[in-house]
Amino acid sequence: MTDDEIIDRVWGVMVLEQRLDYDPYSLSMDEIEILRDSENRKSIWRYARR
């Protein structure tokens, strides 16, 4: 994965999180799945750090 791809994913998730807070019904199923997967990864990393 290139640096540009990493940056796109991080910023993309941040933008989707903001849209979820502001207008959750505007998200597509694909965008919701991206957010779900992001949250799952966060949980895994939190658990792995213990």
Side-chain angles (χ1 to χ4, degrees):
M1 184 177 292
T2 66
D3 288 345
D4 288 338
E5 290 173 330
I6 293 169
I7 291 168
D8 286 343
R9 287 191 185 193
V10 169
W11 282 105
V13 169
M14 290 174 62
V15 169
L16 289 177
E17 288 173 347
Q18 290 174 348
R19 281 182 51 203
L20 180 66
D21 289 339
Y22 180 72
D23 188 12
Y25 295 105
S26 70
L27 297 175
S28 69
M29 283 303 295
D30 289 337
E31 293 168 330
I32 292 170
E33 288 177 6
I34 290 169
L35 287 173
R36 183 196 64 207
D37 293 342
S38 173
E39 285 300 313
N40 287 341
R41 280 191 211 99
K42 288 178 188 177
S43 297
I44 290 169
W45 282 109
R46 281 186 209 125
Y47 181 75
R49 285 189 221 161
R50 293 181 183 181

